[in-house]
Amino acid sequence: MPLIARFNYIEMTYNGDANTQLGFEMLEALRVGANYTWNLSAQRSLGNNMQLNLSYDGRKSPGSPTI
C-alpha cells in the first residue's frame, strides 16, 4: 500500500484586515506569519473495480491550535 506524505511551509504577509471575509479568502484560511500544512494519504485496491483512499490534511498557523 503506497503512502504519500506532503509537507508545506508557507510564510504569509498581508497588509489588509485579516478579520474580514476578503482577508479570509485572500489568506486561504491561513494567518499572517509562518504556517505549516501537511497531507498524508494511502491508497489500496480492494477488488477489480474498487479502491480505498484514506487521506488526512492538517495545518498549524500562528496563534491557533494544530488541526
Side-chain angles (χ1 to χ4, degrees):
M1 172 170 31
L3 180 66
I4 300 169
R6 185 178 313 156
F7 182 81
N8 297 302
Y9 168 76
I10 304 161
E11 181 70 35
M12 298 293 272
T13 57
Y14 183 69
N15 294 331
D17 185 2
N19 293 322
T20 63
Q21 284 182 317
L22 177 61
F24 185 81
E25 287 295 321
M26 294 289 291
L27 295 171
E28 297 179 349
L30 298 174
R31 299 211 177 168
V32 174
N35 295 271
Y36 304 93
T37 63
W38 56 90
N39 172 275
L40 298 171
S41 61
Q43 183 179 52
R44 181 177 177 117
S45 294
L46 297 177
N48 292 337
N49 295 322
M50 291 184 76
Q51 287 185 337
L52 175 65
N53 295 309
L54 299 173
S55 181
Y56 173 77
D57 293 307
R59 70 172 184 232
K60 173 66 177 128
S61 295
S64 67
T66 301
I67 297 173

